[in-house]
Amino acid sequence: IEFETLLDVGSGRGVFLLPFMEEFPHVQVTSLDLLDKRVTFLNELAAGGYSQLMAYNKNICGQLFPENSFDVVTLLEVLEHIPEVDKAVKAAVKMARKYVVVSVPSKEDDNPEHIHLLTKPILTDLFAKAGCTNLHFDGVPNHLIAVAWR
């Protein structure tokens, strides 16, 4: 997969982003997170040498960027936290030029911040309603992974 831009939604502490940026230093990365401290941390990383990174304290449900703004949009362990999950999926699909990559828990757990259990049929329906019917599902223990494209 060739890509030059990535939007990572719910970047948190950068568990995905840090190794990603090391491996793909040419990719321009935009990060969204709702917590000020996470955005501050990521912007400090950008100032400290990860110049391909820009972080914003924004909610994806507001569709912050024009259609097809990013080659890839990632929502890794994020959708289960978002009240308006349909709006988040719709915005991700619109902003993605090539792919949307999602990971979610595959079974109920005791995390009180997990407000949705997003199964394969639910994700299929959400992406179809967002105009994206090409989906590939895979998984790792206790997690479902989906790659979507138009």
Side-chain angles (χ1 to χ4, degrees), residues 77-96:
E77 303 302 307
V78 170
L79 284 178
E80 66 273 12
H81 298 270
I82 300 176
E84 296 177 301
V85 67
D86 56 328
K87 286 184 180 180
V89 170
K90 185 176 180 180
V93 168
K94 282 188 175 186
M95 289 186 279

PDB file of all heavy atoms in Angstrom, residues 77-96:
ATOM      1  N   GLU A  77      -8.944   1.071  18.293  1.00  0.00           N
ATOM      2  CA  GLU A  77      -9.471   0.991  19.654  1.00  0.00           C
ATOM      3  C   GLU A  77     -10.133   2.313  20.061  1.00  0.00           C
ATOM      4  O   GLU A  77      -9.939   2.811  21.171  1.00  0.00           O
ATOM      5  CB  GLU A  77      -8.356   0.602  20.640  1.00  0.00           C
ATOM      6  CG  GLU A  77      -7.671  -0.706  20.296  1.00  0.00           C
ATOM      7  CD  GLU A  77      -8.624  -1.905  20.217  1.00  0.00           C
ATOM      8  OE1 GLU A  77      -9.372  -2.135  21.176  1.00  0.00           O
ATOM      9  OE2 GLU A  77      -8.608  -2.598  19.176  1.00  0.00           O
ATOM     10  N   VAL A  78     -10.932   2.862  19.136  1.00  0.00           N
ATOM     11  CA  VAL A  78     -11.546   4.169  19.343  1.00  0.00           C
ATOM     12  C   VAL A  78     -13.065   4.128  19.191  1.00  0.00           C
ATOM     13  O   VAL A  78     -13.784   4.712  19.998  1.00  0.00           O
ATOM     14  CB  VAL A  78     -10.959   5.194  18.333  1.00  0.00           C
ATOM     15  CG1 VAL A  78     -11.722   6.496  18.345  1.00  0.00           C
ATOM     16  CG2 VAL A  78      -9.498   5.446  18.629  1.00  0.00           C
ATOM     17  N   LEU A  79     -13.567   3.468  18.174  1.00  0.00           N
ATOM     18  CA  LEU A  79     -15.002   3.536  17.869  1.00  0.00           C
ATOM     19  C   LEU A  79     -15.881   3.108  19.036  1.00  0.00           C
ATOM     20  O   LEU A  79     -16.985   3.651  19.209  1.00  0.00           O
ATOM     21  CB  LEU A  79     -15.337   2.686  16.641  1.00  0.00           C
ATOM     22  CG  LEU A  79     -14.958   3.270  15.294  1.00  0.00           C
ATOM     23  CD1 LEU A  79     -15.305   2.291  14.185  1.00  0.00           C
ATOM     24  CD2 LEU A  79     -15.642   4.606  15.054  1.00  0.00           C
ATOM     25  N   GLU A  80     -15.427   2.169  19.826  1.00  0.00           N
ATOM     26  CA  GLU A  80     -16.241   1.688  20.943  1.00  0.00           C
ATOM     27  C   GLU A  80     -16.448   2.752  22.019  1.00  0.00           C
ATOM     28  O   GLU A  80     -17.298   2.611  22.883  1.00  0.00           O
ATOM     29  CB  GLU A  80     -15.634   0.414  21.549  1.00  0.00           C
ATOM     30  CG  GLU A  80     -14.296   0.600  22.225  1.00  0.00           C
ATOM     31  CD  GLU A  80     -13.104   0.491  21.272  1.00  0.00           C
ATOM     32  OE1 GLU A  80     -13.274   0.491  20.041  1.00  0.00           O
ATOM     33  OE2 GLU A  80     -11.974   0.422  21.793  1.00  0.00           O
ATOM     34  N   HIS A  81     -15.701   3.852  21.942  1.00  0.00           N
ATOM     35  CA  HIS A  81     -15.802   4.952  22.900  1.00  0.00           C
ATOM     36  C   HIS A  81     -16.691   6.093  22.420  1.00  0.00           C
ATOM     37  O   HIS A  81     -17.037   6.967  23.205  1.00  0.00           O
ATOM     38  CB  HIS A  81     -14.411   5.543  23.171  1.00  0.00           C
ATOM     39  CG  HIS A  81     -13.441   4.604  23.772  1.00  0.00           C
ATOM     40  ND1 HIS A  81     -13.288   4.437  25.123  1.00  0.00           N
ATOM     41  CD2 HIS A  81     -12.551   3.749  23.196  1.00  0.00           C
ATOM     42  CE1 HIS A  81     -12.359   3.536  25.367  1.00  0.00           C
ATOM     43  NE2 HIS A  81     -11.891   3.105  24.210  1.00  0.00           N
ATOM     44  N   ILE A  82     -17.015   6.135  21.152  1.00  0.00           N
ATOM     45  CA  ILE A  82     -17.668   7.294  20.544  1.00  0.00           C
ATOM     46  C   ILE A  82     -19.182   7.147  20.574  1.00  0.00           C
ATOM     47  O   ILE A  82     -19.726   6.209  19.975  1.00  0.00           O
ATOM     48  CB  ILE A  82     -17.169   7.501  19.097  1.00  0.00           C
ATOM     49  CG1 ILE A  82     -15.654   7.739  19.095  1.00  0.00           C
ATOM     50  CG2 ILE A  82     -17.907   8.651  18.433  1.00  0.00           C
ATOM     51  CD1 ILE A  82     -15.049   7.864  17.709  1.00  0.00           C
ATOM     52  N   PRO A  83     -19.888   8.071  21.248  1.00  0.00           N
ATOM     53  CA  PRO A  83     -21.349   7.972  21.311  1.00  0.00           C
ATOM     54  C   PRO A  83     -22.012   7.936  19.919  1.00  0.00           C
ATOM     55  O   PRO A  83     -22.878   7.109  19.674  1.00  0.00           O
ATOM     56  CB  PRO A  83     -21.777   9.211  22.096  1.00  0.00           C
ATOM     57  CG  PRO A  83     -20.577   9.548  22.926  1.00  0.00           C
ATOM     58  CD  PRO A  83     -19.384   9.175  22.073  1.00  0.00           C
ATOM     59  N   GLU A  84     -21.608   8.819  19.042  1.00  0.00           N
ATOM     60  CA  GLU A  84     -22.209   8.891  17.703  1.00  0.00           C
ATOM     61  C   GLU A  84     -21.309   8.154  16.704  1.00  0.00           C
ATOM     62  O   GLU A  84     -20.755   8.738  15.778  1.00  0.00           O
ATOM     63  CB  GLU A  84     -22.399  10.346  17.295  1.00  0.00           C
ATOM     64  CG  GLU A  84     -23.374  11.081  18.186  1.00  0.00           C
ATOM     65  CD  GLU A  84     -23.510  12.541  17.828  1.00  0.00           C
ATOM     66  OE1 GLU A  84     -22.481  13.254  17.869  1.00  0.00           O
ATOM     67  OE2 GLU A  84     -24.632  12.959  17.503  1.00  0.00           O
ATOM     68  N   VAL A  85     -21.206   6.850  16.906  1.00  0.00           N
ATOM     69  CA  VAL A  85     -20.288   6.035  16.115  1.00  0.00           C
ATOM     70  C   VAL A  85     -20.616   6.110  14.627  1.00  0.00           C
ATOM     71  O   VAL A  85     -19.713   6.095  13.790  1.00  0.00           O
ATOM     72  CB  VAL A  85     -20.265   4.584  16.639  1.00  0.00           C
ATOM     73  CG1 VAL A  85     -21.576   3.872  16.406  1.00  0.00           C
ATOM     74  CG2 VAL A  85     -19.119   3.819  16.057  1.00  0.00           C
ATOM     75  N   ASP A  86     -21.886   6.248  14.269  1.00  0.00           N
ATOM     76  CA  ASP A  86     -22.253   6.355  12.851  1.00  0.00           C
ATOM     77  C   ASP A  86     -21.672   7.604  12.215  1.00  0.00           C
ATOM     78  O   ASP A  86     -21.191   7.567  11.080  1.00  0.00           O
ATOM     79  CB  ASP A  86     -23.771   6.306  12.675  1.00  0.00           C
ATOM     80  CG  ASP A  86     -24.503   7.368  13.480  1.00  0.00           C
ATOM     81  OD1 ASP A  86     -24.037   7.740  14.587  1.00  0.00           O
ATOM     82  OD2 ASP A  86     -25.568   7.828  13.018  1.00  0.00           O
ATOM     83  N   LYS A  87     -21.680   8.712  12.945  1.00  0.00           N
ATOM     84  CA  LYS A  87     -21.091   9.958  12.419  1.00  0.00           C
ATOM     85  C   LYS A  87     -19.572   9.829  12.270  1.00  0.00           C
ATOM     86  O   LYS A  87     -18.994  10.355  11.324  1.00  0.00           O
ATOM     87  CB  LYS A  87     -21.434  11.141  13.323  1.00  0.00           C
ATOM     88  CG  LYS A  87     -22.856  11.591  13.215  1.00  0.00           C
ATOM     89  CD  LYS A  87     -23.089  12.828  14.060  1.00  0.00           C
ATOM     90  CE  LYS A  87     -24.532  13.284  13.951  1.00  0.00           C
ATOM     91  NZ  LYS A  87     -24.769  14.488  14.771  1.00  0.00           N
ATOM     92  N   ALA A  88     -18.947   9.156  13.206  1.00  0.00           N
ATOM     93  CA  ALA A  88     -17.490   8.968  13.140  1.00  0.00           C
ATOM     94  C   ALA A  88     -17.116   8.136  11.919  1.00  0.00           C
ATOM     95  O   ALA A  88     -16.178   8.469  11.196  1.00  0.00           O
ATOM     96  CB  ALA A  88     -16.985   8.313  14.417  1.00  0.00           C
ATOM     97  N   VAL A  89     -17.837   7.046  11.682  1.00  0.00           N
ATOM     98  CA  VAL A  89     -17.553   6.195  10.523  1.00  0.00           C
ATOM     99  C   VAL A  89     -17.795   6.968   9.234  1.00  0.00           C
ATOM    100  O   VAL A  89     -16.971   6.928   8.312  1.00  0.00           O
ATOM    101  CB  VAL A  89     -18.389   4.898  10.574  1.00  0.00           C
ATOM    102  CG1 VAL A  89     -18.298   4.132   9.262  1.00  0.00           C
ATOM    103  CG2 VAL A  89     -17.933   4.021  11.736  1.00  0.00           C
ATOM    104  N   LYS A  90     -18.895   7.685   9.162  1.00  0.00           N
ATOM    105  CA  LYS A  90     -19.212   8.466   7.954  1.00  0.00           C
ATOM    106  C   LYS A  90     -18.120   9.497   7.672  1.00  0.00           C
ATOM    107  O   LYS A  90     -17.666   9.650   6.534  1.00  0.00           O
ATOM    108  CB  LYS A  90     -20.568   9.152   8.107  1.00  0.00           C
ATOM    109  CG  LYS A  90     -21.022   9.876   6.874  1.00  0.00           C
ATOM    110  CD  LYS A  90     -22.410  10.450   7.065  1.00  0.00           C
ATOM    111  CE  LYS A  90     -22.850  11.180   5.803  1.00  0.00           C
ATOM    112  NZ  LYS A  90     -24.196  11.742   5.947  1.00  0.00           N
ATOM    113  N   ALA A  91     -17.667  10.202   8.703  1.00  0.00           N
ATOM    114  CA  ALA A  91     -16.616  11.206   8.529  1.00  0.00           C
ATOM    115  C   ALA A  91     -15.313  10.555   8.090  1.00  0.00           C
ATOM    116  O   ALA A  91     -14.623  11.060   7.199  1.00  0.00           O
ATOM    117  CB  ALA A  91     -16.413  11.988   9.827  1.00  0.00           C
ATOM    118  N   ALA A  92     -14.964   9.429   8.695  1.00  0.00           N
ATOM    119  CA  ALA A  92     -13.722   8.729   8.330  1.00  0.00           C
ATOM    120  C   ALA A  92     -13.752   8.298   6.871  1.00  0.00           C
ATOM    121  O   ALA A  92     -12.774   8.474   6.141  1.00  0.00           O
ATOM    122  CB  ALA A  92     -13.511   7.523   9.241  1.00  0.00           C
ATOM    123  N   VAL A  93     -14.872   7.731   6.440  1.00  0.00           N
ATOM    124  CA  VAL A  93     -15.002   7.281   5.049  1.00  0.00           C
ATOM    125  C   VAL A  93     -14.874   8.464   4.092  1.00  0.00           C
ATOM    126  O   VAL A  93     -14.190   8.377   3.067  1.00  0.00           O
ATOM    127  CB  VAL A  93     -16.329   6.517   4.833  1.00  0.00           C
ATOM    128  CG1 VAL A  93     -16.609   6.295   3.348  1.00  0.00           C
ATOM    129  CG2 VAL A  93     -16.292   5.187   5.579  1.00  0.00           C
ATOM    130  N   LYS A  94     -15.497   9.584   4.414  1.00  0.00           N
ATOM    131  CA  LYS A  94     -15.415  10.761   3.539  1.00  0.00           C
ATOM    132  C   LYS A  94     -14.003  11.327   3.464  1.00  0.00           C
ATOM    133  O   LYS A  94     -13.557  11.751   2.410  1.00  0.00           O
ATOM    134  CB  LYS A  94     -16.385  11.845   4.010  1.00  0.00           C
ATOM    135  CG  LYS A  94     -17.803  11.569   3.628  1.00  0.00           C
ATOM    136  CD  LYS A  94     -18.673  12.759   3.942  1.00  0.00           C
ATOM    137  CE  LYS A  94     -20.073  12.524   3.432  1.00  0.00           C
ATOM    138  NZ  LYS A  94     -20.909  13.704   3.598  1.00  0.00           N
ATOM    139  N   MET A  95     -13.303  11.335   4.595  1.00  0.00           N
ATOM    140  CA  MET A  95     -11.975  11.945   4.618  1.00  0.00           C
ATOM    141  C   MET A  95     -10.894  11.035   4.054  1.00  0.00           C
ATOM    142  O   MET A  95      -9.807  11.492   3.734  1.00  0.00           O
ATOM    143  CB  MET A  95     -11.621  12.379   6.041  1.00  0.00           C
ATOM    144  CG  MET A  95     -12.436  13.583   6.490  1.00  0.00           C
ATOM    145  SD  MET A  95     -11.920  14.231   8.090  1.00  0.00           S
ATOM    146  CE  MET A  95     -12.759  13.113   9.187  1.00  0.00           C
ATOM    147  N   ALA A  96     -11.193   9.731   3.923  1.00  0.00           N
ATOM    148  CA  ALA A  96     -10.201   8.768   3.430  1.00  0.00           C
ATOM    149  C   ALA A  96     -10.222   8.690   1.912  1.00  0.00           C
ATOM    150  O   ALA A  96     -11.262   8.455   1.301  1.00  0.00           O
ATOM    151  CB  ALA A  96     -10.478   7.389   4.017  1.00  0.00           C
TER     152      ALA A  96
END
